[in-house]
């Protein structure tokens, strides 16, 4: 997680709306889709983690919490639904990439990845009361 964030230019000390956009753009990029060796463990290992022991699952949860923390701090506008929005963004990022990685047809994989990206960006700009 930390290595991928560093490589993607994610600066956890710069918690701004621009950093949340950087996270979305980098995470759901075509380059990240193709980077099998440098991929985020949240994309590569979900099934293995589900079968793993509690220490392994805790580590995976820590990665998710870091992503959600970034979104929460970058997008907070004093609304009660910021946690829900941040969890949804993380789910779109990870889920979009997991799906895209498993599709043999690269055209559909690109569509899934792009749709997840576009909706995640839209969610960062949505009025939380309209969700």
């Amino acid at each position: 997680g930390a290595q991928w964030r560093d490589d993607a230019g994610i600066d956890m000390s710069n918690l701004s709306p621009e950093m949340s956009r950087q996270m979305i753009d980098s995470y759901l990029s075509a380059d990240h889709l193709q980077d099998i060796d440098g991929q985020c463990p949240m994309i590569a290992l979900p099934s293995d983690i589900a079968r793993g022991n509690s220490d392994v699952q805790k580590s995976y949860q820590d990665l998710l919490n870091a992503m959600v923390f970034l979104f929460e701090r970058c997008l907070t506008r004093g609304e009660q639904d910021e946690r829900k929005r941040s969890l949804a963004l993380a789910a779109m990022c990870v889920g979009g990439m997991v799906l895209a990685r498993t599709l043999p047809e690269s055209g559909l994989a690109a569509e899934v990845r792009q749709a997840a990206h576009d909706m995640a960006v839209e969610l960062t700009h949505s009025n939380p009361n309209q969700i």
Side-chain angles (χ1 to χ4, degrees), residues 4 8 37-38 51 59 64-65 68 70 74-75 102-103 108 116 118 121 125:
W4 180 86
D37 293 333
R51 291 187 295 271
S59 293
L64 175 62
N65 281 331
V68 171
L70 175 92
C74 291
L75 301 175
T102 61
L103 297 170
L108 182 55
D118 294 350
V121 168
H125 301 296

Side-chain angles (χ1 to χ4, degrees), residues 64-112:
L64 175 62
N65 281 331
M67 181 184 282
V68 171
F69 174 84
L70 175 92
F71 287 137
E72 279 183 306
R73 296 306 177 267
C74 291
L75 301 175
T76 298
R77 291 178 282 224
E79 298 290 337
Q80 290 181 329
D81 288 344
E82 289 309 318
R83 175 117 178 117
K84 185 191 301 185
R85 181 192 309 252
S86 297
L87 288 165
L89 284 167
M92 263 190 254
C93 287
V94 174
M97 289 300 279
V98 168
L99 272 177
R101 285 258 169 96
T102 61
L103 297 170
E105 182 194 324
S106 63
L108 182 55
E111 282 183 274
V112 167

Side-chain angles (χ1 to χ4, degrees), residues 40-55:
C40 173
M42 292 182 67
I43 297 167
L45 304 171
S47 294
D48 295 331
I49 299 300
R51 291 187 295 271
N53 66 38
S54 62
D55 289 338

Side-chain angles (χ1 to χ4, degrees), residues 4-11 14 16-29 70-71 117:
W4 180 86
R5 280 193 310 268
D6 290 346
D7 292 347
I10 307 302
D11 180 0
N14 176 17
S16 65
E18 294 79 23
M19 195 52 55
S20 67
R21 178 62 188 262
Q22 174 70 20
M23 175 65 131
I24 293 166
D25 289 349
S26 296
Y27 206 90
L28 289 166
S29 69
L70 175 92
F71 287 137
H117 175 274

